[in-house]
Every structure is written in C-alpha cells, then in structure tokens.
Amino acid sequence: TWGYNKDNGPHTWYKHFPIARGKQQSPIDIQIWNAKFDSSLKPLNFNYSASTTRRIVNKGHSFEVEFDSSTDKSVLSGGPLTEKYKLTQLHFHWGRRDEEGSEHSIDDLKYASELHMVHWNTKYSTVSESIHQPDGLAVVAIFLKVGGAHQELEKITHALGSIRKKNMSTVFTNFNPACLLPDNKDYWTYSGSLTVPPLLECVTWIVLKEPINISKEQLSKFRSLYSTMEGEHPKKHIETNCRPRQSLQGRVIRSNLI
Ligand SMILES: O=S(=O)(O)/C=C/c1cc(Br)ccc1O
Ligand SMILES: [Zn+2]
C-alpha cells in the first residue's frame, strides 16, 4: 500500500491515483503577496462540543482523533463556506526533523507539524459521498511551531501510548477540539485536494495564519508510533507523513486579512 518510503511514497502515488497529477492538488506554498484580500469572506465560526469526541486510532500513516458527526454538535461555518460542515476527524502531519513537517508553507517557511481538522458538508448524507463532491470537505489546517509543550495536546500524546501499532485504537472522550485553535483565526483559503490517497479534489482548504505550540518531546511521540501492525516485522516508525507541495495551476488564494 501507499506510504512515505522510497518505494511507496508521494512520487509513486500517481500510479494507483492518477489525480495526483491533477489541477487542484494540495498542499501548496502560500505566497502572501499572491493572495487576494476578499472583503466578502466572513469570520470563521467554530461551534464544537467535547461530547462528540469518540476514539483515537493509529492509521499506519498517521493517527486520527475521531468524532461523532451524526449530529451537528461540532460544526464549522462562516469563512468562505456557504453551508455548515460537521467535524469528523482530526490528524497531524510531521517530518523526520523539526525544521520540516508541515504540508503547506508560507512564503516557503515550513513548520514542524500541521494539524488537519476535517469537516464534511451537511448537505450530503455520508462522508464517503462528500469526498466525491467539489464542496464535500472543509479542512482547517493549523501550523505547529516547536516551543513549549501544548497542554491540551498532552492529552492526545498521552493516549498515543495505547495505539503504538497500526490499527490499534482506544476510547478518547471529553476532549474539546476548540482547545487546539490559536487565538487569532485569520486565514487563507483555496480549493484543493486530500493530501493523502485517494487525493480527491473535494477540499475547501482554510489555512490559519497563527501557529500553535508543540514541544520537541510531543513531536517525538508522534514519530514513535509504528506504521507496522502487531506481529509484523521489521517494526517501522512513522518518521514522516507529509506530501511535497504541488503547483497552484492558476488557482486563486484568498485572504480575510488585508
Ligand atoms: O490529510 S487530509 O487531506 O486532511 C485527508 C483527509 C481525509 C478525510 C477523509 Br473524510 C477521508 C480521507 C482522507 O484522506
Ligand atoms: Zn491531513
């Protein structure tokens, strides 16, 4: 299966997922001078509830915190969005070294990690249906900058000890995802794709300008997860899971801040 090694990494994905060479691929470099201020963009409205948090799972290429999105108790609206989108999962991308690891970059500046909060459009009846629609998903990307430990992130990193191998999962509840948001909600937005296979072009990307903190220790806990299953040998760590940046291909990046 696909991954981030030499023989199955991002440069090989086009073989099974030809859209990898499409016109609306993600991630991208956000060149601040090239972004267009759009006065019609509204403030983002995060309406989250800790009661929707269910489980944390090792997916082999990353780990995910899963939410119950059968009700609209954790909803994103506003910003560039014309509909309500329900939070279904959040996950992270990181690199081998602290100097890289984010998927998007700002004027070529990379951060140590990038959090994706994945929401699906309430106008569709299932997530699987939504990922085949151009307005199916809204993913909020938040940069993580190496610094002091993030207290709320500590709850997540403590749970990683229970999901060390691929396909392991554990109950993870009463966690409010709003606590991972930075104070300032200014953003850039553009139309793009999933950054992992199937790489579908179904995402309204909302990239927040202000990073949150992560400590070196917390980052090393991400890298200590195994991409291999229990009983599979040799054991391999998830050292990195970020896709190289893709070309803009004429897309416009809009900004809510002048
Ligand atoms: O890394 S992302 O582009 O946020 C991938 C998000 C993603 C969301 C769903 Br829902 C299903 C498959 C996916 O790969
Ligand atoms: Zn992601």
Side-chain angles (χ1 to χ4, degrees), residues 2-28:
W2 62 270
Y4 295 87
N5 306 315
K6 201 101 199 67
D7 57 344
N8 67 358
H11 297 93
T12 72
W13 292 351
Y14 73 94
K15 295 176 195 164
H16 290 281
F17 306 96
I19 200 168
R21 296 178 162 179
K23 293 204 170 312
Q24 301 222 348
Q25 290 290 291
S26 296
I28 59 169

Side-chain angles (χ1 to χ4, degrees), residues 10 49 93 131 155 187 225 248:
S49 164
H93 297 264
I131 60 174
K155 293 176 186 164
Y187 63 91
L225 288 171
L248 198 50

Side-chain angles (χ1 to χ4, degrees), residues 217-234:
E217 294 73 22
Q218 291 176 316
L219 254 181
S220 58
K221 287 198 174 116
F222 286 7
R223 298 189 191 103
S224 73
L225 288 171
Y226 288 104
S227 60
T228 46
M229 289 182 274
E230 183 60 49
E232 207 179 335
H233 297 284

Side-chain angles (χ1 to χ4, degrees), residues 80-227:
L81 307 172
T82 51
E83 277 108 8
K84 290 194 313 184
Y85 287 70
K86 294 188 284 188
L87 180 65
T88 176
Q89 53 111 323
L90 66 81
H91 62 269
F92 298 78
H93 297 264
W94 57 87
R96 283 189 180 80
R97 309 174 307 120
D98 295 354
E99 295 69 31
E100 61 187 15
S102 64
E103 296 207 298
H104 291 86
S105 54
I106 310 293
D107 287 341
D108 248 1
L109 172 76
K110 294 179 181 177
Y111 285 92
S113 178
E114 184 171 322
L115 160 59
H116 289 162
M117 302 177 91
V118 181
H119 311 74
W120 59 286
N121 196 326
T122 50
K123 79 186 197 186
Y124 301 117
S125 32
T126 64
V127 177
S128 344
E129 180 193 355
S130 72
I131 60 174
H132 296 285
Q133 316 299 329
D135 61 352
L137 296 188
V139 183
V140 176
I142 299 168
F143 294 118
L144 288 97
K145 184 181 173 128
V146 175
H150 190 291
Q151 282 323 309
E152 297 298 326
L153 201 51
E154 201 63 9
K155 293 176 186 164
I156 290 176
T157 49
H158 279 157
L160 299 184
S162 312
I163 59 165
R164 309 198 50 59
K165 303 288 179 63
K166 178 177 177 177
N167 296 337
M168 288 177 78
S169 68
T170 190
V171 170
F172 190 74
T173 50
N174 303 311
F175 173 81
N176 187 342
C179 67
L180 295 174
L181 299 172
D183 298 337
N184 184 312
K185 313 287 193 288
D186 285 331
Y187 63 91
W188 293 278
T189 182
Y190 77 99
S191 299
S193 73
L194 306 176
T195 65
V196 297
L199 301 169
L200 296 169
E201 294 178 339
C202 62
V203 184
T204 299
W205 279 98
I206 298 168
V207 182
L208 300 194
K209 181 173 188 283
E210 184 180 313
I212 60 170
N213 277 348
I214 184 169
S215 68
K216 284 182 168 306
E217 294 73 22
Q218 291 176 316
L219 254 181
S220 58
K221 287 198 174 116
F222 286 7
R223 298 189 191 103
S224 73
L225 288 171
Y226 288 104
S227 60

